[in-house]
Amino acid sequence: MKTLVIAEHDNGALKPETSKTINAASKLGFDIDVLIAGLNIGAMSEQVAGIEGVTTVLTADNALYQHQLAENMAELVLAIADNYTHIVASATTTGKNFMPRVAALLDVAQVSEIIEVIDSDTFKRPIYAGNAIATVKSLDSKKVITVRASSFDLQSQQSPASINALDTLSDTQLSDFVSVEQTESERPELTAAEVVISGGRGMQNGENFTLLNGIADKLGAAIGASRAAVDAGFVPNDMQVGQTGKIVAPNLYIAVGISGAIQHLAGMKDSKVIVAINKDPDAPIFQVADYGLVADLFEVLPQLENAL
């Protein structure tokens, strides 16, 4: 029995989700091979080889995989799937794109967004917007699994594992890459930041989100938002934290003017320390907060920035 992990990267930098997903895979108890597909991935392959638990790194270095199109990625995974009982990837935008296709082509049920490995067949995953944790057992001979990386720690380092190049090329010609539009920011990425400060409907408008900038700069934090703030047009969609946004688990999460709807809590309640600032003492956010401040955010935020 062997496990295949598909590495998460952006064709330039290996993402921390890769190490955390390898951590989850290591709990299955089998040898781990890691597949990394992209263009000019030599340096990232060496990084993967140094992650504890990795037996072999398999590389597919070709322009066909530069943008990790779901159709080509799925065919690549299928080409080597016979060698593995477990196929594992992060539950990120990329993983959610091609892994269901892999599962469908293998005719198995995908086990999605696991947060704990009980044994090689049994896993825990959140349901009902994180209000309940389901224990699920897969009877399929081949398991296709996505991992909620925020629930696992980074792996340690090891002596580099061997790196083997695959000669398999899968150009399905079913889709083409057109373009990508990304928000440029000097701040850390939301899902990788150690500190996140998020604003909600209580911010009242988009201009008031600038009140978070100074605090974020001093803490080296990423800035997020609740769905209510996004839906109201205060900030763009890529800042949304929650069940239908980004799942984060930083060391420190500061929720400002966020009431704490179930959908938002599902995206941040695994944070190590949660601080809530809200003028409503009955706001649900205080039920999960380690520190709560009942106050007017427009008075508190300048004071907090000055104190920092």
Side-chain angles (χ1 to χ4, degrees), residues 129 242 259-270 284-285 288:
S259 61
I262 292 171
Q263 291 82 358
H264 186 76
L265 298 183
M268 46 64 73
K269 67 180 183 180
D270 289 331
I285 191 72
V288 299

Side-chain angles (χ1 to χ4, degrees), residues 113-164:
E113 299 212 29
I114 67 166
I115 60 172
E116 185 179 335
V117 176
I118 296 176
D119 58 40
S120 59
D121 298 322
T122 315
F123 314 92
K124 288 187 176 182
R125 61 180 300 270
I127 59 173
Y128 303 137
N131 269 343
I133 305 299
T135 301
V136 296
K137 184 168 185 174
S138 172
L139 301 179
D140 291 320
S141 58
K142 199 176 293 291
K143 314 288 191 292
V144 176
I145 301 164
T146 61
V147 174
R148 182 172 286 189
S150 60
S151 297
F152 297 89
D153 294 327
L154 293 168
Q155 281 286 78
S156 302
Q157 297 295 299
Q158 66 173 18
S159 299
S162 60
I163 301 175
N164 298 332

Side-chain angles (χ1 to χ4, degrees), residues 2-308:
K2 293 177 72 177
T3 299
L4 177 67
V5 172
I6 295 89
E8 177 79 16
H9 65 89
D10 61 3
N11 272 313
L14 192 68
K15 294 192 174 181
E17 285 86 349
T18 299
S19 180
K20 294 179 179 182
T21 301
I22 292 170
N23 183 333
S26 69
K27 301 181 188 306
L28 295 168
F30 309 127
D31 288 345
I32 299 171
D33 289 354
V34 178
L35 170 63
I36 178 166
L39 183 64
N40 300 324
I41 55 174
M44 290 187 291
S45 301
E46 293 176 4
Q47 280 185 270
V48 173
I51 298 175
E52 184 180 4
V54 176
T55 303
T56 307
V57 178
L58 305 174
T59 63
D61 195 337
N62 192 279
L64 289 175
Y65 307 114
Q66 181 175 3
H67 304 293
Q68 300 176 76
L69 299 177
E71 294 82 358
N72 291 351
M73 286 294 295
E75 290 298 328
L76 176 62
V77 173
L78 253 65
I80 58 175
D82 288 345
N83 302 323
Y84 304 97
T85 55
H86 295 73
I87 300 172
V88 184
S90 305
T92 56
T93 302
T94 303
K96 289 178 179 178
N97 197 22
F98 73 85
M99 285 293 275
R101 191 176 184 90
V102 171
L105 292 170
L106 290 172
D107 196 24
V108 300
Q110 177 175 298
V111 183
S112 303
E113 299 212 29
I114 67 166
I115 60 172
E116 185 179 335
V117 176
I118 296 176
D119 58 40
S120 59
D121 298 322
T122 315
F123 314 92
K124 288 187 176 182
R125 61 180 300 270
I127 59 173
Y128 303 137
N131 269 343
I133 305 299
T135 301
V136 296
K137 184 168 185 174
S138 172
L139 301 179
D140 291 320
S141 58
K142 199 176 293 291
K143 314 288 191 292
V144 176
I145 301 164
T146 61
V147 174
R148 182 172 286 189
S150 60
S151 297
F152 297 89
D153 294 327
L154 293 168
Q155 281 286 78
S156 302
Q157 297 295 299
Q158 66 173 18
S159 299
S162 60
I163 301 175
N164 298 332
L166 295 175
D167 55 12
T168 303
L169 294 179
S170 306
D171 186 4
T172 62
Q173 297 185 339
L174 292 174
S175 64
D176 294 306
F177 173 78
V178 178
S179 65
V180 62
E181 295 181 13
Q182 291 181 309
T183 302
E184 296 293 332
S185 175
E186 295 180 356
R187 294 199 174 89
E189 186 182 350
L190 255 179
T191 53
E194 294 189 359
V195 180
V196 174
I197 181 168
S198 291
R201 196 198 306 271
M203 300 299 294
Q204 296 184 3
N205 58 55
E207 293 179 0
N208 288 335
F209 265 78
T210 57
L211 292 170
L212 305 179
N213 290 343
I215 297 171
D217 290 340
K218 291 183 176 182
L219 294 177
I223 296 180
S226 68
R227 178 171 179 173
V230 171
D231 287 350
F234 296 170
V235 291
N237 180 265
D238 59 2
M239 290 175 63
Q240 182 179 326
V241 172
Q243 183 189 15
T244 53
K246 295 179 179 177
I247 308 296
V248 302
N251 291 330
L252 173 62
Y253 187 87
I254 305 174
V256 182
I258 295 175
S259 61
I262 292 171
Q263 291 82 358
H264 186 76
L265 298 183
M268 46 64 73
K269 67 180 183 180
D270 289 331
S271 305
K272 305 297 186 292
V273 176
I274 299 173
V275 175
I277 301 172
N278 200 299
K279 65 181 180 182
D280 179 6
D282 297 320
I285 191 72
F286 289 124
Q287 295 176 16
V288 299
D290 298 286
Y291 300 92
L293 179 60
V294 179
D296 185 337
L297 66 88
F298 295 106
E299 296 178 3
V300 167
L301 290 180
Q303 294 174 17
L304 177 58
E305 182 179 347
N306 289 334
L308 289 170

